[in-house]
Amino acid sequence: MKNRVITIGRQYGSNGRKIADMLAKKLGIHCYDKELIHIAAQKKNITYEELLKVDEKRSNPWRYPVEDEVQMQKQFRFEPMNDVLFYTQVDVIRSLAQKEDCIIVGRCANDILRDFNNCKRVFVHAPMEKRLENVMQRVEIDQKEAALLIKKMDKQRRYYYNYFTDKKWEDMSQYDLTINSGDLSEEQIVDVLVALYESIL
């Protein structure tokens, strides 16, 4: 049987990452999120901390987002570190999809693997009141701060996705399944995603 992969895009505060972790644990497979940055750091010999600064962010034409000492190394001088990380992760994500069952969170993975028929693409969203509740609890901030953080993170993810894919983050036709995590419990969503995973032939 070929490898089976699920990609999970998510609105900030929808608990998409938590659901991905729960699903991976139930299936006994690996969930890749920030570990993709560690792999890219090893491949490019750049510190994890520097790459973390540009994770899921589009390039800024006016300034370098990382330390000049890193950005001005000969091999990176004319390529923004955002691009270095993205295209390294493209190679990593495609390689993972070819060699193991896994779950990949964010990072345009649904688009990167659009031609892989062993992949199902999921997007997790939720009503704003539910997202506010989740973020307030997770980050321990008040409602006003949570609303600002949600707006900032969604905008960042939208710009990143639109920039690197030339598509619209909010276009749900790019996904095989969209789930409202405000209507279902996390356990119910995991059960649905297990069935989706098992449907991959």
Side-chain angles (χ1 to χ4, degrees), residues 104-149:
I104 301 173
V105 178
R107 292 163 186 83
C108 306
N110 67 298
D111 190 68
I112 292 167
L113 299 179
R114 62 188 178 277
D115 297 325
F116 284 59
N117 59 14
N118 64 326
C119 176
K120 293 294 184 183
R121 301 150 191 86
V122 176
F123 191 87
V124 181
H125 58 96
M128 181 56 74
E129 59 269 22
K130 182 63 176 179
R131 297 165 67 194
L132 285 168
E133 178 186 323
N134 290 338
V135 172
M136 289 167 63
Q137 182 178 10
R138 184 195 311 164
V139 191
E140 297 182 351
I141 54 179
D142 63 29
Q143 183 171 325
K144 183 178 180 180
E145 291 173 312
L148 289 172
L149 183 56

Side-chain angles (χ1 to χ4, degrees), residues 10 23 38 61 74 95 97 108 139-140 143 152 166 175 187 198:
R10 71 283 185 229
L23 177 62
H38 283 289
K74 185 177 180 180
S95 175
C108 306
V139 191
E140 297 182 351
Q143 183 171 325
K152 174 186 174 183
D166 280 332
Y175 304 94
E187 290 76 14
E198 291 175 346

